[in-house]
Structure formats: C-alpha cells, structure tokens
Amino acid sequence: MLGTDRLTGLTEDEAAARLEKFGPNELTTANAIGPIRRFISQFHHPLIYVLLASGTITLLLNEKPDSAVIFGVVVVNAVIGFVQESRAEAALDALKSMIHTDARVWRDGQERRIRSAELVPGDLVVLGAGDMVPADLRLVEEAELEADESTLTGESIPVAKDEIVLGDSTPVSDRRNMVYSGTLITNGTGTGVVVATGAETELGEIHRLVGSAAKLATPLTRKLARFSTVLTVAVLGLAGVTFIVGLTRGERVGGMLTAAVALAVGAIPEGLPAAVTITLAIGVNRMARRRAVIRRMPAVETLGSITVICADKTGTLTENQMTVVAIWIVEGMYKVTGAGYRREGEITDESGNPVQLAANAALRWTLTGGVVCSEAHLQDQIDEWGIAGDPTEAAMLVAASKVGIDPRQLRKRLPRTETIPFNSVQKFMATRHSDEAGGSVVVAKGAAEEVVALCSDRIATGGMHAYLDRVRVREAIDELAAEGLRVLAVAVSHDVSSAEFVADSLVGKLSFAGLMAMQDPPRPEAIDAVETCHIAGIEVKMITGDHAATAASIAQQMGILDSSIDVGEAIGSRILTGNDLTTLDTADFPVAVERASVFARVSPEQKLRLVEGLQARGHVVAMTGDGVNDAPALQQADIGVAMGSGGTEVAKEAADMVLLDDDFATIEAAIEEGRGVFDNLTKFIVWTLPTNMGEGLVILAAILFGAVLPITPVQILWINMTTAVALGLMLAFEPKEPKIMERPPRDPAKPLLTGELVARILLVSAILLAGSWWIFDWELRSAASVEAARTAALNLFVVVEAVYLFSCRSLTRSSFHVGVFTNRWVVGGLAAQAVAQSAITYLPFMNSVFGTAPLDGTVWLRIFLIALAAAVIVGLDKAIRARSRRLA
C-alpha cells in the first residue's frame, strides 16, 4: 500500500515528492492567539469594565490622582493574567521538540542518515538499541527488538516487538508489530516502514489533544466570576440610583458623576486582585519549601478544592523501578526487601531469618542465573544502583547484590562463551559459561512456563538433583501472577554439549532452580499519602497502561482498592479496562468512571475522557503523571501534577504543579497548603467587603438625604488601598486552621460566601454605616469643621477594620483562641496602619491633599468605643452561630 521496497527503500525522487505531498515529519503549531489579543482579553471582566469607566470619568473630571490609582490597579491585573496565559503555549513546544532526531533510512538501496523531519510515509527505517523512534513504523524485520513505551502507553517494562500481522481492533498498547514516534528502543535491532509522520502519528494525536484540552477555570476563579457579576450589577444599580436621585434634587451633573464614581470605587474591592495574587504567591513559596513547584498560581487554591485525584501508577504511585519481591524454590518462599534500585534490603526465609546461600544451592543458582544470563549492568551511584539495560534483568542483579553477590566478579568467574538470545517465540534466553573447574554450565532464564518446559528435574537445596513436581510449580506461578507479579524462571545444566547448544536441544536437559517474582513496587510514602487523602475526603483513582491484574494488585497494596475485593468480579465495575471504556455510551460514561477506582490499559484519549467524565459529575479533578501520554489529561484537569525528576518535559509543561521529589506524598502537603490558601482568601474577602459596602451605603445615604458626604472619593481610595496593604494582606500569612486535613473537600457548587458569612458582612457593614454617620454628625454638632468630621469618619472606618481583622483571623473560632502573636505580620501591619493614619490626620501636607484635619483625644476615644462595640457584637454573633452548629 505504501509503494516501497522492503530491501532498498524509496528512491530519492519519490521521497522528495512525498515530502512535498505530506509535509515534514514535524508537529505543527495550531493558530494561537497573538500576544496583543491575549493582553486585551485580560480586560474582559465585569468589574474591570466598571473600574475603567470610573477611571475615565474621574480623568474627564480632572481628578488625576483618583484615575491614576484606578487605572494602575487595572493594568497590574491585566499583566498578571497575560503572563500566566503565555506559559500555556510551552506544552506544545515541548512536544514538538521530541521528534527533532536523526534517522537511519534505506534510499536507493543505500543506508544513510537524515533528519527525522525529512522522513515520509514509505521510508524504510533502521533501528537499534538506544535509538529514539523517529516516526510511527510498521515492523518488517526484527531481532530481539524491545521498546520502552512507558511515556506513551504507561507500560512499566519494555515491550517485545514482532513483525506478525495483528487485527485492526488491536489497541495501541498491544500492537507488537508497531513502534511509535518518541519511544525508545532498549534492545535488539529492527527495520520498519514509516506509516505515519508528524501530526498523523500517535504523538501527533497527543499533541492535538493537548492543544484542544480546555484549561478550566479554577474553583476560586469560577466563584470570583459569579461574585464579580453580582457585585457589578449591584454597584451599577447603586451608582445609577445615586446619580438619578441627585439630579432630581437639583444637584449638578458633575457633582453627581463624582458621587456616583465615589460609590462605585468605594463598593468595588480594588485590593482584591492584589490580595488574591499575593496570597497565592505566598502559597507558592510555602509549597516550594515542601518540594512542590507551582507553575500557575491559581493551582495553589485549586489543590484545596480537590475531590478526586487520578494518579498515574508508573513512576507516581510506584517507583518505576522493577524490583524482585519474592523468590520461590520448591522448598519454600523467600522474601526480598527493599524497593527499586536502592542498595538497602535483604533476602529472608518465611520465618524472617536471613538466608545462607552456601547451604541453599537452589536459591544460589536462581540468583546466579539471573546475574550471568543477562545483558544488564549495575552502575555505582551514591544512594542507589544506576542501571544499564533491561529493567527486569537489572532487578535480578539488584536482588543478587542484597546477599553479597557482586555481578562483575561473578561474571569474571563464569565467563560467557555462547548465547541463545531471547525472542518473542521461545520467550527465554540461554547462555553457556566456563566454570572454574574447566567445565561449562548452561543457564536459561525467561517466561516461567517456557523455562519449566525445558526441565527434566530440579536442583534441591543441598545441590542434588530431585524430582520436579510440575503441578506444584504451576500452582506457585499462578499464585504469584494472581498477586500482579511478573514471574520468571531460572534453570541450569552441566550436561549440554557444545554441538547441541541451540534452543530446541535444551528441552529435557535443564534442571529447574527457582522462580523470581517482581513488580514495580508502590512507594511506601505514597501508601500513607493515599490514606491521608481518604481521611480528607479525597478519592484516589489509579490510571495505568498495565494489565488489569497488575493494576488491581498495586491498587490493593496502595489502599485504593479494598483488599477484600475479588479482582475477577471487580473487573467491569470497580476495575475498568480500556476496552470497557470504549463500550460505554456517552450517558453512562461519567457514572461508570465515578464508581470505578482502577483503570487499566487506557489510551491517552481515554485518560482525557476520564477527567472530563469526572468533571461532568461535578468533581474537582487532579491528574498526576509523568509521561507524554499524560499530557492531554494534565492539561484538561482542574490541576495537573507532573513529576519533576522522572517526568518528561511534555508532562511538566502541561502541568500546573511539578513535584521535585516525584513523591505522591508531596501532594498531601500541597493539598493542605491549598486549603489554607483558600481559607485565607475567604478571610480577606469577609474582612474587606464590609468596608466597601459601608462606604457605598454612606455615599448613597448622603445623596438620598441631601446631606454632605461624610467621606470623599479620595478618602475612600485612601481607606481601600492602605488598609488592603497594611491590614488585609496580613491575612495571607495566617497559619493553617487546626485539623484542616480532617474536613471534607469544599463542595464545588457551594458559593464563595456562605449564608453565615454574608450575614456577618451585612452586620459589620451596618455597624460602619451607623457608626460613621453618628460620629460625623456628632462632630458637626460639636462645632467641628466638615474636614474634621470627615477625618473622624475616615479613622472610624480604619479602626473598625483593624479590630474586625482579629475576628477574621478565624471565621469560626473566637479571636482569643487564635492568639495575638501567632501571626506577627498582623502586629506589624497594625503598626504601619497606625503610622499612616497619624500622617493623614496630623501632617499639614496630607491634610491639604486629602481634605483632613487634626483630631483631639476625645474624638479618638469615641472612635475606639465604637470599634470596641463592633468587636463585641461580631464576637457574640460568632459565638451564637458556633453554638447553633454544635447543637445541630
């Protein structure tokens, strides 16, 4: 179909024509929004519209200081949003860079090296160990070819390849006759015909999915958007009422515009964008100290909202390092401790006693065979072994090292003389070695059933040959496989002559030594983290490219799947495979994925659908992963979490957060910080809104009653900006509430402010309205100037805010339980605000600019008495509501 020759490849002329037709073997970039349009889009927000209009009106009225402050807030907010969105484009660039490799091809009957971008469908590509596959290839010839496809399919071990014909419906992860762009050849050689290039490859499809996956708004931004819309309508309504009422009373248009702007500016919390940004930035710094790097600041808060974590198994929940966990010989089972390639660990018998290799020939030959019949090598590193070669073979070397076997010394004592390579048909490898006595020994290692079929007897612990009970061996293989372990067998012989050293002639000539059972083990710290997530009301789901049995075993060890569940019965309900997901219709899909805990043999498209299905059920979804195949789902999830050490650059760029230590347990710490961040943002909003509402109501009341404004627009700006910085932002440093990880996740449908908090905001707003009017009127009646009366009202707002700040440090507990010095930033902020208020009250220059006047001690006494009364009222309200919650 591709019109090529499997021996000579394409001609150069034909290749050039196809390059013109199909284009270069590169991932194209979709038409992206340009930087100018992206920057302009930051102004598309209801509150921003109001602020822009207010700034324009104040500028036309020649109120330059007021307009400068308003426009400054708007521009800063736009710049922050622009920078965050610009980072999203990096994910596509990382994917594109993955296929910038060279390729060896046959053209015009000659092998040559070209840039992978020049490959075309029909090219004949030569592959060898260590090569990055440059395009999607259908194999036409192979010799012991294996490919590491973990970044594409999630399969944790290299996949043996074959040029056989497979059915059309064979899923990507089972297509043994294909190798895919961006994967790595780990063993053997092969030749394949290019069947897809660029955007048509599996990697290109992932590129498309990453580009199409919408980055959803975070729970905070969704709530703030709803809140902003409601607030905008209210502000415009109040400003319109103010303007109309003033005109009906005969006031000047210019004066009423100023009053309407004052009301709008007063009612809009200008400090909110800065508070959100700074609070999130503080959360970023706290998480960085706990080994989690935040790439997009809203992800800090989103972590606190998570209801489901979709965790990629390989390298996230597990070590991504094959590990021998058990060795079985006919006389018994032996446990191998230690995980991954770390040096610590030992081999113990069923009673927990360390083994004695000298007295156990069967165990000794099982370990010896795993070392000498292997192409892998160990490399010295500080804390763990480095490996070169197949991870399964490396796991056997690491196991041997735990009982003092030095692979290099052993191979010197038993030098290899001949090899029967592993292939996908015979499923074993065999090697001949010279021994120290001048004879030879043959070792075979491979699939348990195939190796056992070669054996006529077994080696006993004492070194003698004994009867081989095949039924008992078969039962042991089945038991280990049922636990999700990969089982390999080792056999040896001293009786195979040189002339007979071929695969077929080994039948009946070997002696069974033992079985090695291995897995990619769970991270111990991840098991604890999963339990903590469950306590916090967060469900953990495991997603993997492995088979269902392997996935179920790991899930039960992790506590994701109940250990009492029968795996066979759970498949199709609690355990879903890629084929199961394919057969689900659109209506049933979200319910099915919400019910399931384990997803095996899933494709990148299905990972993306899983996240979308859970989101359709109202969940806030976190997706963890480290491979190329995780990138679309990481992009779609409410928060994507990538592994910093073992993860691909594609995954890191698509993610919102990167774990520096690749430790799932770090997510627990990040969630805790995220919950604290949301608490502190809520505290700021509950603290700042009464001021904005109180200011707006004061202006509205003055217009309605035809009275002098108790505070002017420039004084409103002073209150809003100075208190937000000196007082409100100090809440961003507030320590986390006790037992923060023992409460369930926030309901995504729950509004930003509960009814209780709204009632408290209205209560404090009423106190500010009544208090400021009372003291303003009192001062005027006491023959004080309008400037002095306004100064008293201005300071009343600030002092009540300062007192109310202590109440907002905890929205449920009493201020006395929180303590004064648990957040020293609050003390510093109060001191700074006191200095600022002294300056605006007593410095002549400030009096001139802001229309204020000095106050005497009696005025301050009245201000503090009103503030004290406000604290008592709010404290009583909090206590009454807390008692009601306890009774309920």
Side-chain angles (χ1 to χ4, degrees), residues 520-591:
D520 180 11
R523 295 173 180 264
E525 60 274 15
I527 296 175
D528 295 335
V530 168
E531 182 181 3
T532 302
C533 287
H534 288 162
I535 293 173
I538 302 167
E539 187 175 359
V540 180
K541 298 180 184 291
M542 189 174 80
I543 302 177
T544 178
D546 284 341
H547 292 281
T550 303
S553 173
I554 295 294
Q556 288 180 323
Q557 294 177 57
M558 299 292 307
I560 294 172
L561 198 64
D562 195 304
S563 59
S564 63
I565 291 177
D566 182 272
V567 173
E569 295 179 357
I571 293 178
S573 57
R574 295 296 304 281
I575 304 170
L576 295 177
T577 65
N579 287 336
D580 294 330
L581 296 174
T582 301
T583 59
L584 286 171
D585 60 43
T586 304
D588 295 335
F589 191 88
V591 177

Side-chain angles (χ1 to χ4, degrees), residues 302-308 533-539 619-620 671 675 740-748 750:
T302 311
L303 279 163
S305 311
I306 288 171
T307 59
V308 175
C533 287
H534 288 162
I535 293 173
I538 302 167
E539 187 175 359
H619 287 288
V620 179
I671 290 173
R675 291 186 174 190
I740 196 170
M741 288 299 288
E742 294 182 16
R743 66 193 192 198
R746 296 188 308 277
D747 182 355
K750 191 176 181 180

